[in-house]
Amino acid sequence: MIRAVYPGSFDPITNGHIYISERAAALFDELIVAVLVNPEKRSTFSEGERQIMAREALVHLPNVSVKYFNGLLVDFMRQQQSRIIIRGLRALSDFEYEFQLAQMNRQLAPEIETFFIATDARYSYLSSRAIKAAFQFGGAVREMVPPGVYRRLKERIPPNNL
C-alpha cells in the first residue's frame, strides 16, 4: 500500500486544495491530508475547525483521511509510515518556495520524496489568504470554497464596512 501525505495549513481549505487532493487520491492507495499546526502563524480557524472543514470537503474520497501535526513534517511522515509528500503548484512562483522545502526535507529524510501536482488553471489564483481577504471586503468567494467553509467564513469573519 502506498500512502501519501498532503500537508498544509488549510486555513481554510479551498476548491484548489480539493482538486489536488482528488488528483493525489487517484494516484495513491491512501492520502492523508495533514493540517499543520504552526504556532508562529495566526490562524483564522483552529486546527480542529480546519480538520472538520477538510473532512467535510473530502468526504467523497474514501481513501482520504485528515489528521493534524505539529513539528517537522518528516517526523510526521515517519509516524504515518509514508515516504511521499504531495505539494500543489499554482504558478511558477510557488515552485521556488516548494522546491526549497523539498530540498530541505530531502536533507532531513533522504527516504522521503516530494511529488508536485499542478493545479487546474481555474484554481491557479486561489489561496486561503486571498479568499479570507476578499471575503472580508465583500468579495464573492462562494464558488471558491466548499459550502461548509463558506458558512464558517460568514460566521467568523465580519464584513469590513468602510
Side-chain angles (χ1 to χ4, degrees):
M1 176 185 320
I2 301 175
R3 178 179 297 140
V5 173
Y6 178 25
S9 60
F10 305 107
D11 186 37
I13 193 166
T14 70
N15 290 345
H17 294 128
I18 295 166
Y19 177 82
I20 297 297
S21 298
E22 290 170 343
R23 297 267 314 273
L27 293 170
F28 300 100
D29 299 317
E30 184 180 347
L31 177 67
I32 298 169
V33 172
V35 176
L36 170 64
V37 178
N38 184 348
E40 293 181 13
K41 204 172 182 184
R42 187 166 177 253
S43 297
T44 301
F45 297 98
S46 72
E47 64 265 6
E49 290 170 315
R50 289 182 278 149
Q51 283 183 76
I52 290 168
M53 288 186 285
R55 283 189 185 112
E56 289 173 358
L58 301 169
V59 70
H60 64 289
L61 301 171
N63 63 331
V64 174
S65 61
V66 179
K67 300 181 180 186
Y68 79 94
F69 77 99
N70 56 25
L72 287 175
L73 174 58
V74 294
D75 291 340
F76 179 76
M77 299 290 296
R78 289 174 177 141
Q79 291 167 2
Q80 300 305 310
Q81 299 177 348
S82 175
R83 296 180 49 218
I84 298 170
I85 298 170
I86 301 297
R87 297 301 294 171
L89 295 175
R90 294 171 296 187
L92 186 58
S93 57
D94 283 347
F95 180 75
E96 185 174 350
Y97 173 75
E98 295 295 345
F99 184 74
Q100 289 172 347
L101 286 180
Q103 293 295 354
M104 175 61 81
N105 287 330
R106 187 88 169 135
Q107 285 298 312
L108 295 171
E111 74 278 11
I112 295 175
E113 297 290 344
T114 300
F115 283 58
F116 297 107
I117 298 178
T119 194
D120 190 277
R122 63 190 158 151
Y123 304 124
S124 63
Y125 63 93
L126 286 185
S127 73
S128 297
R129 180 180 304 152
I131 285 172
K132 291 183 290 189
F135 181 83
Q136 184 175 10
F137 290 101
V141 300
R142 183 184 296 266
E143 300 301 317
M144 301 174 196
V145 294
V149 170
Y150 185 73
R151 180 177 47 79
R152 286 177 178 89
L153 284 169
K154 290 192 315 187
E155 295 168 357
R156 179 63 47 93
I157 300 175
N160 188 340
N161 298 321
L162 293 176

Short mmCIF file of all heavy atoms in Angstrom, two decimals, residues 75-138:
data_model
loop_
_atom_site.label_atom_id
_atom_site.label_comp_id
_atom_site.label_asym_id
_atom_site.label_seq_id
_atom_site.Cartn_x
_atom_site.Cartn_y
_atom_site.Cartn_z
N ASP A 75 9.12 14.11 10.46
CA ASP A 75 8.81 13.28 11.64
C ASP A 75 7.39 12.74 11.54
O ASP A 75 7.13 11.57 11.83
CB ASP A 75 8.98 14.09 12.93
CG ASP A 75 10.42 14.42 13.23
OD1 ASP A 75 11.33 13.74 12.70
OD2 ASP A 75 10.65 15.37 14.01
N PHE A 76 6.46 13.59 11.12
CA PHE A 76 5.08 13.14 10.91
C PHE A 76 5.03 12.06 9.83
O PHE A 76 4.32 11.06 9.97
CB PHE A 76 4.19 14.33 10.53
CG PHE A 76 2.76 13.96 10.28
CD1 PHE A 76 1.89 13.69 11.33
CD2 PHE A 76 2.27 13.87 8.98
CE1 PHE A 76 0.56 13.34 11.10
CE2 PHE A 76 0.94 13.54 8.74
CZ PHE A 76 0.09 13.27 9.80
N MET A 77 5.78 12.26 8.76
CA MET A 77 5.81 11.28 7.68
C MET A 77 6.25 9.91 8.21
O MET A 77 5.65 8.89 7.87
CB MET A 77 6.78 11.74 6.58
CG MET A 77 6.43 13.05 5.91
SD MET A 77 4.98 12.96 4.89
CE MET A 77 5.52 11.82 3.62
N ARG A 78 7.27 9.90 9.01
CA ARG A 78 7.76 8.64 9.58
C ARG A 78 6.71 8.01 10.49
O ARG A 78 6.51 6.79 10.46
CB ARG A 78 9.07 8.87 10.31
CG ARG A 78 10.22 9.17 9.36
CD ARG A 78 11.48 9.54 10.12
NE ARG A 78 12.60 9.74 9.20
CZ ARG A 78 13.51 10.69 9.35
NH1 ARG A 78 13.44 11.55 10.36
NH2 ARG A 78 14.48 10.81 8.47
N GLN A 79 6.05 8.83 11.30
CA GLN A 79 5.00 8.31 12.19
C GLN A 79 3.87 7.67 11.37
O GLN A 79 3.29 6.67 11.79
CB GLN A 79 4.41 9.43 13.05
CG GLN A 79 5.34 9.97 14.10
CD GLN A 79 4.80 11.27 14.71
OE1 GLN A 79 3.73 11.75 14.37
NE2 GLN A 79 5.58 11.84 15.61
N GLN A 80 3.57 8.26 10.23
CA GLN A 80 2.49 7.77 9.38
C GLN A 80 2.95 6.67 8.41
O GLN A 80 2.15 6.17 7.62
CB GLN A 80 1.87 8.92 8.59
CG GLN A 80 1.28 10.01 9.45
CD GLN A 80 0.25 9.48 10.42
OE1 GLN A 80 -0.67 8.75 10.05
NE2 GLN A 80 0.40 9.81 11.70
N GLN A 81 4.22 6.35 8.47
CA GLN A 81 4.82 5.34 7.59
C GLN A 81 4.56 5.67 6.12
O GLN A 81 4.12 4.84 5.32
CB GLN A 81 4.30 3.95 7.94
CG GLN A 81 4.66 3.55 9.36
CD GLN A 81 4.10 2.21 9.75
OE1 GLN A 81 3.25 1.63 9.08
NE2 GLN A 81 4.59 1.69 10.86
N SER A 82 4.86 6.91 5.80
CA SER A 82 4.70 7.39 4.43
C SER A 82 6.03 7.93 3.94
O SER A 82 6.80 8.50 4.71
CB SER A 82 3.65 8.50 4.37
OG SER A 82 3.59 9.03 3.06
N ARG A 83 6.28 7.76 2.65
CA ARG A 83 7.51 8.28 2.04
C ARG A 83 7.22 9.28 0.93
O ARG A 83 8.11 9.66 0.20
CB ARG A 83 8.32 7.10 1.48
CG ARG A 83 8.80 6.16 2.59
CD ARG A 83 9.61 5.00 2.06
NE ARG A 83 10.63 5.46 1.15
CZ ARG A 83 11.00 4.83 0.04
NH1 ARG A 83 10.42 3.70 -0.29
NH2 ARG A 83 11.95 5.29 -0.74
N ILE A 84 5.95 9.70 0.80
CA ILE A 84 5.58 10.58 -0.31
C ILE A 84 4.86 11.82 0.21
O ILE A 84 3.81 11.72 0.85
CB ILE A 84 4.68 9.86 -1.33
CG1 ILE A 84 5.45 8.67 -1.92
CG2 ILE A 84 4.22 10.81 -2.42
CD1 ILE A 84 4.63 7.75 -2.74
N ILE A 85 5.43 12.98 -0.09
CA ILE A 85 4.82 14.27 0.22
C ILE A 85 4.18 14.79 -1.06
O ILE A 85 4.81 14.78 -2.12
CB ILE A 85 5.87 15.30 0.70
CG1 ILE A 85 6.54 14.83 1.99
CG2 ILE A 85 5.23 16.69 0.89
CD1 ILE A 85 7.75 15.68 2.39
N ILE A 86 2.95 15.25 -0.96
CA ILE A 86 2.25 15.87 -2.08
C ILE A 86 2.25 17.38 -1.86
O ILE A 86 1.91 17.86 -0.79
CB ILE A 86 0.78 15.39 -2.16
CG1 ILE A 86 0.70 13.88 -2.32
CG2 ILE A 86 0.04 16.12 -3.28
CD1 ILE A 86 1.32 13.33 -3.57
N ARG A 87 2.63 18.11 -2.89
CA ARG A 87 2.57 19.57 -2.83
C ARG A 87 1.90 20.07 -4.11
O ARG A 87 2.21 19.60 -5.21
CB ARG A 87 3.96 20.19 -2.70
CG ARG A 87 4.69 19.82 -1.42
CD ARG A 87 3.97 20.22 -0.17
NE ARG A 87 3.89 21.67 -0.08
CZ ARG A 87 3.18 22.32 0.81
NH1 ARG A 87 2.44 21.68 1.68
NH2 ARG A 87 3.18 23.63 0.82
N GLY A 88 1.00 21.00 -3.94
CA GLY A 88 0.31 21.60 -5.08
C GLY A 88 1.06 22.81 -5.58
O GLY A 88 1.64 23.56 -4.80
N LEU A 89 1.04 22.99 -6.88
CA LEU A 89 1.66 24.16 -7.51
C LEU A 89 0.60 24.94 -8.26
O LEU A 89 -0.10 24.38 -9.10
CB LEU A 89 2.77 23.73 -8.48
CG LEU A 89 3.98 23.03 -7.89
CD1 LEU A 89 4.91 22.58 -9.01
CD2 LEU A 89 4.71 23.94 -6.92
N ARG A 90 0.53 26.24 -7.97
CA ARG A 90 -0.41 27.11 -8.69
C ARG A 90 0.29 27.85 -9.81
O ARG A 90 -0.26 28.03 -10.88
CB ARG A 90 -1.02 28.13 -7.72
CG ARG A 90 -1.90 27.52 -6.67
CD ARG A 90 -2.28 28.54 -5.65
NE ARG A 90 -1.07 28.98 -4.98
CZ ARG A 90 -1.03 29.78 -3.94
NH1 ARG A 90 -2.14 30.29 -3.46
NH2 ARG A 90 0.10 30.11 -3.37
N ALA A 91 1.48 28.33 -9.54
CA ALA A 91 2.20 29.17 -10.51
C ALA A 91 3.69 28.94 -10.34
O ALA A 91 4.14 28.30 -9.38
CB ALA A 91 1.86 30.64 -10.28
N LEU A 92 4.45 29.49 -11.25
CA LEU A 92 5.90 29.35 -11.19
C LEU A 92 6.46 29.88 -9.87
O LEU A 92 7.40 29.32 -9.31
CB LEU A 92 6.55 30.09 -12.37
CG LEU A 92 8.05 29.92 -12.54
CD1 LEU A 92 8.40 28.45 -12.70
CD2 LEU A 92 8.53 30.72 -13.73
N SER A 93 5.85 30.93 -9.34
CA SER A 93 6.32 31.49 -8.07
C SER A 93 6.21 30.48 -6.93
O SER A 93 7.03 30.49 -6.01
CB SER A 93 5.55 32.76 -7.73
OG SER A 93 4.16 32.49 -7.69
N ASP A 94 5.23 29.58 -6.96
CA ASP A 94 5.12 28.53 -5.94
C ASP A 94 6.29 27.57 -6.02
O ASP A 94 6.75 27.05 -5.00
CB ASP A 94 3.84 27.71 -6.13
CG ASP A 94 2.60 28.40 -5.66
OD1 ASP A 94 2.70 29.42 -4.97
OD2 ASP A 94 1.51 27.90 -6.00
N PHE A 95 6.76 27.30 -7.24
CA PHE A 95 7.78 26.27 -7.42
C PHE A 95 9.05 26.58 -6.64
O PHE A 95 9.62 25.70 -6.00
CB PHE A 95 8.11 26.06 -8.90
CG PHE A 95 9.16 25.01 -9.09
CD1 PHE A 95 8.85 23.68 -8.94
CD2 PHE A 95 10.47 25.36 -9.36
CE1 PHE A 95 9.82 22.69 -9.09
CE2 PHE A 95 11.45 24.40 -9.50
CZ PHE A 95 11.13 23.05 -9.37
N GLU A 96 9.52 27.81 -6.68
CA GLU A 96 10.77 28.15 -5.99
C GLU A 96 10.68 27.85 -4.50
O GLU A 96 11.56 27.21 -3.94
CB GLU A 96 11.12 29.62 -6.22
CG GLU A 96 12.48 29.98 -5.63
CD GLU A 96 12.91 31.40 -5.96
OE1 GLU A 96 12.27 32.06 -6.79
OE2 GLU A 96 13.92 31.82 -5.38
N TYR A 97 9.60 28.29 -3.86
CA TYR A 97 9.40 28.04 -2.44
C TYR A 97 9.26 26.53 -2.16
O TYR A 97 9.90 25.99 -1.26
CB TYR A 97 8.16 28.80 -1.96
CG TYR A 97 7.77 28.48 -0.55
CD1 TYR A 97 8.49 28.98 0.53
CD2 TYR A 97 6.66 27.67 -0.28
CE1 TYR A 97 8.13 28.68 1.83
CE2 TYR A 97 6.28 27.37 1.03
CZ TYR A 97 7.02 27.88 2.07
OH TYR A 97 6.66 27.58 3.36
N GLU A 98 8.43 25.88 -2.95
CA GLU A 98 8.19 24.44 -2.75
C GLU A 98 9.45 23.62 -3.01
O GLU A 98 9.71 22.63 -2.33
CB GLU A 98 7.04 23.96 -3.64
CG GLU A 98 5.70 24.55 -3.30
CD GLU A 98 5.18 24.15 -1.92
OE1 GLU A 98 5.72 23.19 -1.31
OE2 GLU A 98 4.25 24.81 -1.45
N PHE A 99 10.24 24.03 -3.98
CA PHE A 99 11.49 23.34 -4.28
C PHE A 99 12.45 23.44 -3.10
O PHE A 99 13.10 22.46 -2.73
CB PHE A 99 12.11 23.91 -5.55
CG PHE A 99 13.35 23.20 -5.99
CD1 PHE A 99 13.27 21.95 -6.59
CD2 PHE A 99 14.60 23.77 -5.81
CE1 PHE A 99 14.41 21.27 -6.99
CE2 PHE A 99 15.75 23.10 -6.21
CZ PHE A 99 15.66 21.84 -6.80
N GLN A 100 12.54 24.60 -2.49
CA GLN A 100 13.40 24.78 -1.31
C GLN A 100 12.94 23.87 -0.17
O GLN A 100 13.77 23.22 0.49
CB GLN A 100 13.40 26.23 -0.86
CG GLN A 100 14.15 27.15 -1.79
CD GLN A 100 13.98 28.62 -1.41
OE1 GLN A 100 13.14 28.98 -0.61
NE2 GLN A 100 14.80 29.46 -2.03
N LEU A 101 11.62 23.81 0.06
CA LEU A 101 11.11 22.92 1.10
C LEU A 101 11.43 21.45 0.79
O LEU A 101 11.82 20.69 1.68
CB LEU A 101 9.59 23.08 1.25
CG LEU A 101 9.07 24.32 1.92
CD1 LEU A 101 7.54 24.29 1.97
CD2 LEU A 101 9.63 24.45 3.33
N ALA A 102 11.25 21.08 -0.47
CA ALA A 102 11.53 19.70 -0.87
C ALA A 102 13.00 19.35 -0.64
O ALA A 102 13.33 18.26 -0.18
CB ALA A 102 11.14 19.49 -2.34
N GLN A 103 13.89 20.30 -0.96
CA GLN A 103 15.33 20.06 -0.76
C GLN A 103 15.66 19.94 0.73
O GLN A 103 16.46 19.09 1.12
CB GLN A 103 16.15 21.18 -1.41
CG GLN A 103 16.06 21.19 -2.92
CD GLN A 103 16.67 19.95 -3.56
OE1 GLN A 103 17.26 19.10 -2.92
NE2 GLN A 103 16.51 19.84 -4.85
N MET A 104 15.05 20.78 1.55
CA MET A 104 15.28 20.69 3.00
C MET A 104 14.78 19.35 3.53
O MET A 104 15.49 18.67 4.28
CB MET A 104 14.58 21.85 3.71
CG MET A 104 14.68 21.76 5.24
SD MET A 104 16.36 21.81 5.88
CE MET A 104 16.64 23.56 5.82
N ASN A 105 13.58 18.96 3.12
CA ASN A 105 13.05 17.68 3.57
C ASN A 105 13.93 16.53 3.10
O ASN A 105 14.12 15.54 3.82
CB ASN A 105 11.61 17.49 3.10
CG ASN A 105 10.65 18.37 3.86
OD1 ASN A 105 10.85 18.69 5.03
ND2 ASN A 105 9.58 18.78 3.19
N ARG A 106 14.47 16.65 1.90
CA ARG A 106 15.36 15.61 1.36
C ARG A 106 16.63 15.48 2.19
O ARG A 106 17.13 14.37 2.41
CB ARG A 106 15.71 15.96 -0.10
CG ARG A 106 16.46 14.90 -0.80
CD ARG A 106 15.46 13.95 -1.42
NE ARG A 106 16.17 13.06 -2.30
CZ ARG A 106 15.97 11.77 -2.32
NH1 ARG A 106 15.06 11.22 -1.57
NH2 ARG A 106 16.64 11.01 -3.14
N GLN A 107 17.14 16.61 2.67
CA GLN A 107 18.33 16.57 3.54
C GLN A 107 18.01 15.93 4.88
O GLN A 107 18.81 15.19 5.43
CB GLN A 107 18.89 17.99 3.75
CG GLN A 107 19.62 18.56 2.58
CD GLN A 107 20.85 17.73 2.24
OE1 GLN A 107 21.66 17.38 3.10
NE2 GLN A 107 21.00 17.40 0.96
N LEU A 108 16.82 16.25 5.41
CA LEU A 108 16.43 15.73 6.72
C LEU A 108 16.03 14.26 6.66
O LEU A 108 16.20 13.53 7.64
CB LEU A 108 15.26 16.54 7.28
CG LEU A 108 15.55 18.01 7.61
CD1 LEU A 108 14.26 18.74 7.94
CD2 LEU A 108 16.56 18.13 8.74
N ALA A 109 15.48 13.84 5.54
CA ALA A 109 14.97 12.47 5.40
C ALA A 109 15.12 12.03 3.94
O ALA A 109 14.18 12.16 3.14
CB ALA A 109 13.52 12.42 5.83
N PRO A 110 16.28 11.51 3.57
CA PRO A 110 16.53 11.14 2.16
C PRO A 110 15.57 10.09 1.60
O PRO A 110 15.41 9.99 0.39
CB PRO A 110 17.96 10.60 2.19
CG PRO A 110 18.55 11.06 3.46
CD PRO A 110 17.44 11.30 4.42
N GLU A 111 14.91 9.36 2.46
CA GLU A 111 14.00 8.31 2.01
C GLU A 111 12.64 8.87 1.56
O GLU A 111 11.83 8.16 0.98
CB GLU A 111 13.79 7.26 3.11
CG GLU A 111 12.91 7.69 4.28
CD GLU A 111 13.61 8.53 5.36
OE1 GLU A 111 14.75 8.99 5.16
OE2 GLU A 111 12.99 8.71 6.41
N ILE A 112 12.39 10.14 1.83
CA ILE A 112 11.09 10.76 1.52
C ILE A 112 11.18 11.55 0.22
O ILE A 112 12.11 12.33 0.02
CB ILE A 112 10.63 11.64 2.70
CG1 ILE A 112 10.36 10.76 3.93
CG2 ILE A 112 9.39 12.44 2.32
CD1 ILE A 112 10.01 11.52 5.18
N GLU A 113 10.19 11.34 -0.65
CA GLU A 113 10.13 12.01 -1.94
C GLU A 113 9.00 13.03 -1.94
O GLU A 113 7.96 12.81 -1.32
CB GLU A 113 9.88 11.01 -3.07
CG GLU A 113 10.96 9.99 -3.26
CD GLU A 113 12.26 10.56 -3.82
OE1 GLU A 113 12.22 11.69 -4.35
OE2 GLU A 113 13.29 9.89 -3.72
N THR A 114 9.17 14.11 -2.69
CA THR A 114 8.12 15.11 -2.86
C THR A 114 7.59 15.03 -4.28
O THR A 114 8.37 15.06 -5.23
CB THR A 114 8.65 16.53 -2.57
OG1 THR A 114 9.13 16.59 -1.22
CG2 THR A 114 7.56 17.57 -2.75
N PHE A 115 6.27 14.92 -4.40
CA PHE A 115 5.59 14.92 -5.69
C PHE A 115 4.85 16.24 -5.82
O PHE A 115 4.09 16.63 -4.94
CB PHE A 115 4.57 13.78 -5.77
CG PHE A 115 5.17 12.43 -6.01
CD1 PHE A 115 6.11 11.89 -5.14
CD2 PHE A 115 4.78 11.67 -7.11
CE1 PHE A 115 6.66 10.63 -5.36
CE2 PHE A 115 5.33 10.42 -7.33
CZ PHE A 115 6.27 9.90 -6.46
N PHE A 116 5.05 16.91 -6.94
CA PHE A 116 4.37 18.17 -7.21
C PHE A 116 3.21 17.90 -8.16
O PHE A 116 3.38 17.24 -9.19
CB PHE A 116 5.32 19.19 -7.85
CG PHE A 116 6.46 19.57 -6.96
CD1 PHE A 116 7.74 19.11 -7.23
CD2 PHE A 116 6.27 20.38 -5.85
CE1 PHE A 116 8.81 19.47 -6.42
CE2 PHE A 116 7.32 20.74 -5.03
CZ PHE A 116 8.60 20.28 -5.31
N ILE A 117 2.04 18.44 -7.82
CA ILE A 117 0.87 18.32 -8.69
C ILE A 117 0.44 19.73 -9.06
O ILE A 117 0.16 20.55 -8.18
CB ILE A 117 -0.28 17.56 -7.99
CG1 ILE A 117 0.16 16.13 -7.65
CG2 ILE A 117 -1.53 17.57 -8.87
CD1 ILE A 117 -0.89 15.30 -6.92
N ALA A 118 0.41 19.99 -10.35
CA ALA A 118 -0.03 21.30 -10.83
C ALA A 118 -1.55 21.39 -10.76
O ALA A 118 -2.25 20.44 -11.14
CB ALA A 118 0.44 21.53 -12.26
N THR A 119 -2.04 22.49 -10.28
CA THR A 119 -3.47 22.66 -10.19
C THR A 119 -4.08 22.98 -11.54
O THR A 119 -3.37 23.29 -12.50
CB THR A 119 -3.84 23.77 -9.16
OG1 THR A 119 -5.23 23.66 -8.87
CG2 THR A 119 -3.53 25.15 -9.70
N ASP A 120 -5.37 22.89 -11.60
CA ASP A 120 -6.11 23.28 -12.79
C ASP A 120 -6.05 24.81 -12.90
O ASP A 120 -6.03 25.51 -11.89
CB ASP A 120 -7.56 22.81 -12.64
CG ASP A 120 -8.35 22.95 -13.91
OD1 ASP A 120 -8.84 24.08 -14.14
OD2 ASP A 120 -8.48 21.96 -14.64
N ALA A 121 -6.06 25.32 -14.11
CA ALA A 121 -5.97 26.77 -14.33
C ALA A 121 -7.06 27.54 -13.60
O ALA A 121 -6.84 28.66 -13.14
CB ALA A 121 -6.03 27.08 -15.82
N ARG A 122 -8.23 26.94 -13.44
CA ARG A 122 -9.32 27.66 -12.77
C ARG A 122 -9.06 27.88 -11.29
O ARG A 122 -9.77 28.66 -10.65
CB ARG A 122 -10.65 26.95 -12.99
CG ARG A 122 -10.71 25.57 -12.41
CD ARG A 122 -11.93 24.81 -12.85
NE ARG A 122 -11.63 23.40 -12.69
CZ ARG A 122 -12.51 22.48 -12.45
NH1 ARG A 122 -13.78 22.81 -12.38
NH2 ARG A 122 -12.16 21.23 -12.30
N TYR A 123 -8.04 27.21 -10.73
CA TYR A 123 -7.70 27.39 -9.32
C TYR A 123 -6.33 28.05 -9.13
O TYR A 123 -5.86 28.18 -8.01
CB TYR A 123 -7.70 26.05 -8.58
CG TYR A 123 -9.01 25.31 -8.70
CD1 TYR A 123 -9.05 24.01 -9.21
CD2 TYR A 123 -10.20 25.91 -8.31
CE1 TYR A 123 -10.26 23.34 -9.31
CE2 TYR A 123 -11.41 25.23 -8.42
CZ TYR A 123 -11.43 23.95 -8.92
OH TYR A 123 -12.61 23.29 -9.02
N SER A 124 -5.71 28.46 -10.20
CA SER A 124 -4.32 28.93 -10.12
C SER A 124 -4.15 30.21 -9.30
O SER A 124 -3.04 30.50 -8.87
CB SER A 124 -3.76 29.13 -11.53
OG SER A 124 -4.48 30.14 -12.20
N TYR A 125 -5.19 30.94 -9.07
CA TYR A 125 -5.09 32.19 -8.31
C TYR A 125 -5.56 32.03 -6.87
O TYR A 125 -5.45 32.96 -6.06
CB TYR A 125 -5.95 33.27 -9.00
CG TYR A 125 -7.41 32.91 -9.00
CD1 TYR A 125 -8.26 33.33 -7.99
CD2 TYR A 125 -7.94 32.10 -10.00
CE1 TYR A 125 -9.59 32.97 -7.96
CE2 TYR A 125 -9.26 31.75 -10.00
CZ TYR A 125 -10.09 32.18 -8.97
OH TYR A 125 -11.40 31.80 -8.96
N LEU A 126 -6.12 30.87 -6.52
CA LEU A 126 -6.71 30.68 -5.20
C LEU A 126 -5.67 30.48 -4.12
O LEU A 126 -4.73 29.71 -4.27
CB LEU A 126 -7.62 29.45 -5.19
CG LEU A 126 -8.97 29.54 -5.86
CD1 LEU A 126 -9.75 28.25 -5.63
CD2 LEU A 126 -9.75 30.73 -5.37
N SER A 127 -5.86 31.16 -3.01
CA SER A 127 -5.11 30.89 -1.79
C SER A 127 -6.05 31.17 -0.63
O SER A 127 -6.97 31.99 -0.74
CB SER A 127 -3.86 31.76 -1.69
OG SER A 127 -4.20 33.10 -1.39
N SER A 128 -5.83 30.51 0.47
CA SER A 128 -6.66 30.72 1.65
C SER A 128 -6.61 32.18 2.09
O SER A 128 -7.63 32.78 2.43
CB SER A 128 -6.19 29.81 2.80
OG SER A 128 -6.35 28.46 2.44
N ARG A 129 -5.43 32.75 2.05
CA ARG A 129 -5.25 34.14 2.48
C ARG A 129 -6.05 35.09 1.59
O ARG A 129 -6.73 36.00 2.07
CB ARG A 129 -3.77 34.52 2.45
CG ARG A 129 -3.53 35.96 2.89
CD ARG A 129 -2.07 36.31 2.87
NE ARG A 129 -1.33 35.37 3.71
CZ ARG A 129 -0.07 35.04 3.53
NH1 ARG A 129 0.63 35.59 2.56
NH2 ARG A 129 0.53 34.19 4.33
N ALA A 130 -5.97 34.89 0.27
CA ALA A 130 -6.70 35.77 -0.66
C ALA A 130 -8.20 35.62 -0.49
O ALA A 130 -8.94 36.61 -0.57
CB ALA A 130 -6.28 35.47 -2.10
N ILE A 131 -8.67 34.42 -0.27
CA ILE A 131 -10.11 34.19 -0.08
C ILE A 131 -10.59 34.92 1.17
O ILE A 131 -11.63 35.59 1.15
CB ILE A 131 -10.42 32.69 -0.03
CG1 ILE A 131 -10.33 32.11 -1.45
CG2 ILE A 131 -11.79 32.42 0.60
CD1 ILE A 131 -10.43 30.62 -1.53
N LYS A 132 -9.85 34.80 2.27
CA LYS A 132 -10.26 35.48 3.51
C LYS A 132 -10.26 37.00 3.32
O LYS A 132 -11.19 37.68 3.78
CB LYS A 132 -9.36 35.07 4.66
CG LYS A 132 -9.55 33.63 5.10
CD LYS A 132 -8.71 33.25 6.28
CE LYS A 132 -7.26 33.18 5.95
NZ LYS A 132 -6.42 32.61 7.02
N ALA A 133 -9.26 37.53 2.65
CA ALA A 133 -9.19 38.97 2.43
C ALA A 133 -10.34 39.44 1.54
O ALA A 133 -11.00 40.44 1.83
CB ALA A 133 -7.85 39.35 1.81
N ALA A 134 -10.59 38.73 0.45
CA ALA A 134 -11.69 39.11 -0.44
C ALA A 134 -13.03 39.03 0.27
O ALA A 134 -13.86 39.93 0.15
CB ALA A 134 -11.68 38.20 -1.68
N PHE A 135 -13.22 37.97 1.05
CA PHE A 135 -14.48 37.81 1.78
C PHE A 135 -14.71 38.97 2.74
O PHE A 135 -15.81 39.52 2.83
CB PHE A 135 -14.49 36.48 2.53
CG PHE A 135 -15.77 36.25 3.27
CD1 PHE A 135 -16.88 35.74 2.62
CD2 PHE A 135 -15.89 36.58 4.61
CE1 PHE A 135 -18.07 35.56 3.28
CE2 PHE A 135 -17.07 36.40 5.29
CZ PHE A 135 -18.18 35.89 4.63
N GLN A 136 -13.67 39.33 3.45
CA GLN A 136 -13.78 40.40 4.44
C GLN A 136 -14.25 41.72 3.81
O GLN A 136 -14.97 42.49 4.43
CB GLN A 136 -12.45 40.62 5.15
CG GLN A 136 -12.50 41.65 6.25
CD GLN A 136 -11.20 41.76 7.01
OE1 GLN A 136 -10.18 41.20 6.61
NE2 GLN A 136 -11.23 42.46 8.10
N PHE A 137 -13.87 41.95 2.57
CA PHE A 137 -14.24 43.19 1.89
C PHE A 137 -15.42 43.01 0.94
O PHE A 137 -15.62 43.81 0.03
CB PHE A 137 -13.03 43.78 1.18
CG PHE A 137 -12.01 44.30 2.15
CD1 PHE A 137 -10.88 43.55 2.45
CD2 PHE A 137 -12.19 45.51 2.79
CE1 PHE A 137 -9.95 44.01 3.37
CE2 PHE A 137 -11.27 45.98 3.71
CZ PHE A 137 -10.15 45.23 4.01
N GLY A 138 -16.18 41.93 1.15
CA GLY A 138 -17.41 41.75 0.40
C GLY A 138 -17.28 41.04 -0.92
O GLY A 138 -18.22 41.02 -1.71
#
